[in-house]
Amino acid sequence: MGPTRLAADTTAPLPADTVMHFLLQIGILLGLAFLLGRAAEHFGLPSVTGELTAGVVLGPSLLAHLVPGLSDWLLPRNPAQMQLLDAVGQLGVLLLVGFTGMHIDIPHARRHGRTAAGVSAAALLIPLALGIALAYTLPGQLAPAGADTLAFACFIGVAMCVSSIPIIGRVLVDMRLIDRPVGQMIMVVAAIDDAVGWLLVSLVTALATTGLGAHDITTPLWHMAALLVITLTAGRWTVRSVLKWAHDSGFHGPTVTATVLLLVLSGAGAHTLGFEPLLGAFLCGILIGTCDEGDQSRRLEPLETMVLAFLAPLFFALAGLRIDLTALATPGTALRGLAALVIAVVGKYLGAFAGAAVGKLSRWEAVAVGAGINARGVIQVVIAVTGLRIGLLNTAMYSIVVLIAVITPLMAPPVLKAAMKQLGRTERPASQLPEPPAEGRGTLRSTQLP
């Protein structure tokens, strides 16, 4: 029997040039993302817009055309090099989605769920159906070669129907609407949209990656049911027990470590069942948000700062790095991109009006809700990256989806402002619509989201 081989004997260390490029790439991407993110905020835009723009500037849309030599040196076309960056980005978005789940107020949504569920159902189903119909009309160059047609169409539909709590929360806070009745209705509807959206993404991902046909879709549905049952039983008990232990330790460090462990392992568990790790982190984040272990929110501030100031901006810069605007240069592709934008926007508004009719909201309340839930941003970018990674989106279609994520948050503030002006004194009292979220629940406050 030969001598025991150590890990150092079997795994070669990273080349010095790879390490140098990795550190330089992180420094430049993060620095430019910070600068452009602050510039976007200065002009009243979501910071994610500037962070995505950082990647666009350094990627194939601009730098590769203006200074190809510098682009090839800074961002060499080496899969191993990009995988290093992707690993950091995936950890960042996993934690970001977990924090998004912590922000959802489940008791609040349950108390006012009937009206919000009606609005959310219509605002999900209508753009979902329109997006699927659009996908079947797209030419071959916008669909990846070899991709399952049904999975591709369903994925486009899901990308058209999601909202984004982080972006919506930021817009409502900036406009001082977060505590208004309509603002609270928007947040509850967006919370339902986010939860259902992640379920749909994971289902479509399982359909695409396992090669299942429509007749065999019961397998991912069964796995989904198992994941939800585990989350609501053993998962809930584990999260409460671990966070109680961390709180009883009397130090901040154990709470941060326990939170990261719970989110990462939940992602691994979801992935084991064939779903995106992000779904596991999202569900775990919801469970963490329902726990109230003293000063839990304050103890998580160091982790929150790390995620929101470093990992999340780096992820969005990497997402922008994959956008190739030159892929949209042909008139046909540009027109179909415009059609996708129109479907995404109109679908949400039609859904909001249909749901408002069921929930007996006024016309201007419906306009305000439609404007709010129309903002995609973070979640749609994450979904686009997921689609690119699993081969359901090519560069052109990915660029279209991400551009929708960037444009729709810019449309929300002016429409919200006009709707609130019309509501004026006619807005119903807060007692008739969802109440402002309670502070001190151990969840993220909307002012902290990007």
Side-chain angles (χ1 to χ4, degrees):
M1 187 174 180
T4 302
R5 300 185 68 185
L6 300 177
D9 297 327
T10 58
T11 305
L14 289 173
D17 188 59
T18 300
V19 174
M20 184 273 292
H21 272 98
F22 172 66
L23 297 176
L24 187 62
Q25 288 165 347
I26 284 185
I28 293 175
L29 281 168
L30 183 61
L32 190 58
F34 173 79
L35 292 175
L36 295 183
R38 299 295 80 75
E41 289 181 341
H42 177 74
F43 290 103
L45 304 176
S47 60
V48 67
T49 304
E51 291 159 0
L52 284 165
T53 303
V56 173
V57 169
L58 296 174
S61 297
L62 191 61
L63 185 64
H65 288 279
L66 296 180
V67 193
L70 176 61
S71 176
D72 291 340
W73 177 80
L74 177 62
L75 299 165
R77 301 181 185 278
N78 179 358
Q81 193 77 53
M82 290 305 298
Q83 286 167 1
L84 281 175
L85 289 172
D86 279 340
V88 178
Q90 287 301 312
L91 176 62
V93 75
L94 187 81
L95 297 178
L96 177 63
V97 169
F99 272 98
T100 302
M102 294 179 211
H103 180 64
I104 294 179
D105 189 341
I106 295 299
H108 186 176
R110 189 183 297 121
R111 287 196 303 272
H112 306 280
R114 186 172 180 179
T115 300
V119 175
S120 179
L124 280 168
L125 292 176
I126 292 177
L128 175 66
L130 292 175
I132 291 174
L134 171 69
Y136 277 107
T137 68
L138 294 175
Q141 62 264 31
L142 288 180
D148 180 79
T149 304
L150 175 63
F152 171 71
C154 290
F155 196 89
I156 296 301
V158 172
M160 295 296 104
C161 75
V162 295
S163 297
S164 177
I165 280 184
I167 292 295
I168 292 170
R170 182 60 175 267
V171 169
L172 293 176
V173 167
D174 289 346
M175 298 186 67
R176 300 182 181 179
L177 298 177
I178 191 66
D179 291 330
R180 297 280 290 274
V182 169
Q184 289 303 303
M185 174 59 74
I186 291 171
M187 289 302 293
V188 175
V189 172
I192 298 173
D193 274 12
D194 268 13
V196 176
W198 281 119
L199 295 178
L200 292 174
V201 168
S202 293
L203 191 61
V204 175
T205 300
L207 179 66
T209 55
T210 58
L212 298 175
H215 63 283
D216 230 358
I217 201 169
T218 52
T219 300
L221 286 175
W222 167 250
H223 287 176
M224 180 68 72
L227 178 62
L228 294 177
V229 169
I230 293 171
T231 299
L232 296 173
T233 54
R236 176 180 292 175
W237 177 85
T238 301
V239 167
R240 290 186 179 276
S241 299
V242 170
L243 290 179
K244 186 178 185 305
W245 168 82
H247 178 264
D248 291 343
S249 69
F251 299 98
H252 289 201
T255 300
V256 172
T257 302
T259 300
V260 173
L261 280 173
L262 288 169
L263 293 174
V264 171
L265 294 180
S266 295
H271 194 60
T272 301
L273 289 173
F275 301 115
E276 274 298 300
L278 300 177
L279 176 63
F282 182 75
L283 295 175
C284 182
I286 294 176
L287 294 181
I288 293 173
T290 62
C291 295
D292 187 7
E293 294 296 338
D295 57 350
Q296 176 177 288
S297 186
R298 185 168 61 86
R299 292 187 177 201
L300 287 177
E301 286 179 0
L303 177 61
E304 178 191 342
T305 301
M306 181 70 171
V307 172
L308 300 184
F310 168 47
L311 293 174
L314 184 60
F315 168 79
F316 292 122
L318 287 169
L321 201 62
R322 290 182 169 87
I323 296 176
D324 186 0
L325 296 179
T326 62
L328 308 180
T330 62
T333 303
L335 284 175
R336 287 178 174 86
L338 180 61
L341 175 63
V342 171
I343 284 176
V345 173
V346 172
K348 278 296 183 184
Y349 275 103
L350 288 177
F353 272 98
V358 176
K360 298 181 179 179
L361 299 179
S362 72
R363 181 181 62 180
W364 287 108
E365 285 172 337
V367 172
V369 172
I373 63 176
N374 183 48
R376 269 73 168 188
V378 177
I379 303 302
Q380 194 169 33
V381 172
V382 174
I383 289 175
V385 172
T386 301
L388 190 67
R389 181 170 56 80
I390 65 176
L392 279 181
L393 297 181
N394 59 17
T395 302
M397 198 63 214
Y398 168 84
S399 299
I400 290 174
V401 173
V402 173
L403 284 175
I404 293 173
V406 173
I407 293 171
T408 51
L410 308 181
M411 302 169 63
V415 179
L416 272 172
K417 185 177 180 180
M420 297 309 297
K421 183 178 180 180
Q422 291 294 328
L423 279 172
R425 298 188 183 92
T426 66
E427 186 178 21
R428 291 183 284 175
S431 60
Q432 296 181 21
L433 285 174
E435 304 160 4
E439 298 290 345
R441 292 178 55 253
T443 60
L444 277 181
R445 298 174 59 187
S446 55
T447 52
Q448 298 168 319
L449 293 171

